[in-house]
Amino acid sequence: MVLRAAVSGLTLLALLPITAGPSATDYTVVAADGVAASDVTAAVRSAGGRIVSRNDTAGVYRVTSADARFAAKATASAALIGASERRAIARVAVEPAGHTAGGTGGARGPEGLDPLDNRLWGLRMIRADQARKVHHPLAGVTVGVLDTGLDAGHPDLAPHFNRALSRNFAPDIAAVDGPCEVKSCLDPVGTDDGGHGTHVAGTIGAAADGFGLSGVAPGVSLVELKGGQDSGFFFLDSVVNALTYAGDAGIDVVNMSFYVDPWKYLCEANPADSAKRQAEQRAILVGLDRALEYAHRKGVTLISSLGNSHEDLGRPLTDRSSPNYGAEPYERKIDNATCRTMPQEGPHVLNASSLGPSGRKAEYSNYGVEQISVAAPGGDLSDWYGTDKYQTTANEILSSYPKHVLQEQGMVDAEGRVTRAGDDSVVRHCSSGTCGYYMYAQGTSMASPHAAGVAALIVSRYGKADPARAGRTMDPDAVERTLLRTAAQRPCPPGRVQSYQREGQPAEYDARCEGGRGFNGFYGHGIVDAYAAVGGY
């Protein structure tokens, strides 16, 4: 969906930096169900706080207070669910990898494809290369990249970047991002100082124009929804703002390649947690649930990465790593009925597990029949054990990346040449004086944009014209049915257990696949299939 005019009537949290004062603390407050905004304001004031920005749609408020007991007072109020010190709730879902092979340059691509498409095994696995022979995606379909930003100057993203709809909901925070690049600390849209969002966007919709590489759905409109900090952390209010905006702006598909911090699992009332921390987690759950429900109700198809903890999400293990930000972690036994990972276990979210090029579940990927929807290419450096493909970057996912980030990382020099540090993971492609930069990566962050691209193709192929939005629209439940129905079914591996011990991983990585060919814990309903999704056979 594409809007001709700016969206009106949006109630969003302010995007200006907040000066809370040397003795004040910044909080995120979530209102109880059915409480009027005026009553929320009164309750916050009574607890000793001041609302500095608000999202009445989701009932999420940013508050500053110098009262050390503000959180306890807010939790005790019948008008509020809880208050938490403003801290990261998520980080991008990329699995670190030690690259051992790769290269730069770019040979001529397969006939009808872009020069670097011969490196995109994921494009072929989901038959996206064949899908474009049947249906070319329409620019009237919008895909929101809820991430660290989007480099609109990248040659493969510039042609279809939707600047009018793009927004930044995550001002830089010096404590986690370093010094602000601009005076307001609010980076202009079309920038990405983290790189993750640009990589995700390229997989979804890099242009098919004879340059660089192409995405799953080339031609769709790419919308930056910057909800993540440059450092990769995500804050509740930024994510909530991005989701409610996506609903109001008529975005068709939103990709969420991040996972929740500081709590590996958000629990309603874990006995190991203090009352304050229980209230904090309940508030985060309610705030995200409301935002996801709102976006879905407004027509947004929600796609998420399943996570990189090599864990069956239906059988959570003891959590010894939370909180992993702002406080020392402690041991918590996890009750699957009352604890959730987010956004993966939020309402209406479709989750993608990650596969290596052989089609096996990637060693790091989460799995399990409880939360999986589909499987998609995400890369697995350790795939093809016993062959010369083992531990090569060709097993990972190549996609667009910001040049300046690569330069900051020492992978590209001041003249734009790939350095020795970048030889194994960076590809430079130049044509007619223009150069684009690409990077190999692996993770469920790389899997979900493949699924999001197929979802966008479905909207483009079967959605109804919507003159009011100058684009197309499709019920997200119908998108989901088509995505799952057309996925290529894949059975569990022989013996049902996939072990990664010969690759050097401990026994805890061994994964048991439950279910049958039509639906199981490794592949869900199957591997997303772009060709089948647009009517191919």
Side-chain angles (χ1 to χ4, degrees):
M1 307 174 189
V2 178
L3 297 180
R4 292 186 182 276
V7 178
S8 62
L10 299 179
T11 305
L12 299 176
L13 289 163
L15 298 180
L16 296 177
I18 294 169
T19 303
S23 61
T25 301
D26 212 10
Y27 296 89
T28 299
V29 174
V30 178
D33 291 337
V35 176
S38 58
D39 292 334
V40 173
T41 302
V44 168
R45 186 182 302 117
S46 177
R50 176 174 62 88
I51 295 177
V52 292
S53 53
R54 61 198 304 141
N55 186 323
D56 291 325
T57 297
V60 176
Y61 302 84
R62 193 169 173 186
V63 173
T64 184
S65 176
D67 189 336
R69 297 189 65 250
F70 172 77
K73 292 178 180 179
T75 301
S77 171
L80 308 174
I81 292 176
S84 62
E85 292 185 25
R86 193 166 185 266
R87 63 178 64 185
I89 65 162
R91 276 186 288 176
V92 292
V94 177
E95 178 70 9
H99 303 294
T100 59
T104 60
R108 185 179 181 85
E111 184 178 358
L113 297 175
D114 285 357
L116 299 180
D117 284 355
N118 58 353
R119 302 180 183 225
L120 305 185
W121 57 266
L123 209 67
R124 297 187 295 276
M125 176 181 282
I126 67 169
R127 301 201 292 174
D129 52 342
Q130 298 179 50
R132 65 188 62 171
K133 298 176 183 179
V134 176
H135 175 76
H136 188 76
L138 304 175
V141 176
T142 50
V143 181
V145 182
L146 206 174
D147 217 293
T148 60
L150 194 159
D151 180 9
H154 194 286
D156 256 328
L157 303 183
H160 301 295
F161 176 66
N162 191 321
R163 188 173 297 275
L165 286 182
S166 294
R167 298 289 187 276
N168 181 353
F169 301 99
D172 288 346
I173 301 171
V176 295
D177 300 319
C180 296
E181 291 86 2
V182 296
K183 186 176 181 180
S184 68
C185 290
L186 186 69
D187 295 336
V189 296
T191 60
D192 181 9
D193 294 324
H196 187 271
T198 298
H199 196 283
V200 166
T203 296
I204 294 170
D209 56 2
F211 182 92
L213 51 74
S214 60
V216 174
V220 300
S221 186
L222 296 170
V223 180
E224 174 191 352
L225 300 175
K226 186 175 177 358
Q229 305 302 132
D230 296 345
S231 54
F233 286 102
F234 285 66
F235 288 88
L236 175 62
D237 50 0
S238 301
V239 174
V240 166
N241 284 344
L243 287 169
T244 56
Y245 170 79
D248 287 328
I251 307 300
D252 292 297
V253 179
V254 167
N255 184 84
M256 300 178 290
S257 287
F258 54 85
Y259 62 96
V260 170
D261 287 321
W263 306 99
K264 184 176 180 180
Y265 289 93
L266 290 157
C267 301
E268 297 172 10
N270 193 302
D273 297 329
S274 66
K276 177 183 176 181
R277 285 173 169 167
Q278 289 177 358
E280 173 186 320
Q281 292 170 74
R282 287 196 298 269
I284 293 173
L285 285 167
V286 170
L288 287 173
D289 280 348
R290 287 174 180 165
L292 292 166
E293 289 277 12
Y294 184 83
H296 176 267
R297 190 164 62 249
K298 287 283 190 171
V300 181
T301 297
L302 301 161
I303 308 290
S304 177
S305 55
L306 196 56
N308 299 337
S309 300
H310 57 84
E311 190 169 356
D312 183 340
L313 293 182
R315 293 182 173 86
L317 303 175
T318 298
D319 179 13
R320 297 182 175 88
S321 63
S322 300
N324 61 3
Y325 178 90
E328 289 296 318
Y330 53 91
E331 184 172 301
R332 304 190 304 160
K333 292 184 178 180
I334 301 302
D335 173 27
N336 188 50
T338 58
C339 299
R340 290 186 283 159
T341 58
M342 293 292 280
Q344 290 82 3
E345 296 189 66
H348 312 294
V349 176
L350 302 174
N351 295 307
S353 67
S354 181
L355 306 178
S358 72
R360 75 168 189 175
K361 184 189 81 68
E363 63 177 21
Y364 55 81
S365 180
N366 286 347
Y367 59 99
V369 294
E370 186 176 291
Q371 299 302 332
I372 193 170
S373 303
V374 291
D380 188 355
L381 194 69
S382 66
D383 207 352
W384 298 120
Y385 181 84
T387 75
D388 59 2
K389 298 178 183 179
Y390 176 63
Q391 290 284 317
T392 64
T393 49
N395 291 344
E396 299 183 309
I397 302 298
L398 182 68
S399 190
S400 46
Y401 217 75
K403 175 184 176 182
H404 76 281
V405 175
L406 293 171
Q407 289 178 320
E408 291 170 359
Q409 295 173 348
M411 295 184 177
V412 171
D413 65 20
E415 286 72 41
R417 296 170 299 200
V418 177
T419 67
R420 180 172 296 181
D423 273 346
D424 293 339
S425 55
V426 176
V427 176
R428 177 192 188 201
H429 174 76
C430 300
S431 177
S432 302
T434 298
C435 293
Y437 293 82
Y438 307 84
M439 186 173 179
Y440 284 99
Q442 65 176 15
T444 53
S445 277
M446 286 65 247
S448 62
H450 283 88
V454 176
L457 289 174
I458 291 168
V459 177
S460 178
R461 176 66 177 84
Y462 303 107
K464 296 180 181 179
D466 188 349
R469 299 181 184 275
R472 305 187 77 78
T473 185
M474 187 172 178
D475 180 356
D477 290 335
V479 177
E480 175 181 356
R481 288 192 295 270
T482 305
L483 182 71
L484 303 187
R485 175 179 55 81
T486 59
Q489 295 181 356
R490 180 72 68 94
C492 290
R496 293 191 173 271
V497 174
Q498 178 69 60
S499 175
Y500 306 92
Q501 293 186 49
R502 65 180 183 178
E503 290 88 348
Q505 296 294 0
E508 69 178 52
Y509 274 72
D510 290 356
R512 176 172 290 277
C513 181
E514 298 179 324
R517 182 181 181 87
F519 180 78
N520 60 65
F522 282 10
Y523 300 96
H525 292 271
I527 303 172
V528 292
D529 189 332
Y531 184 59
V534 296
Y537 298 95

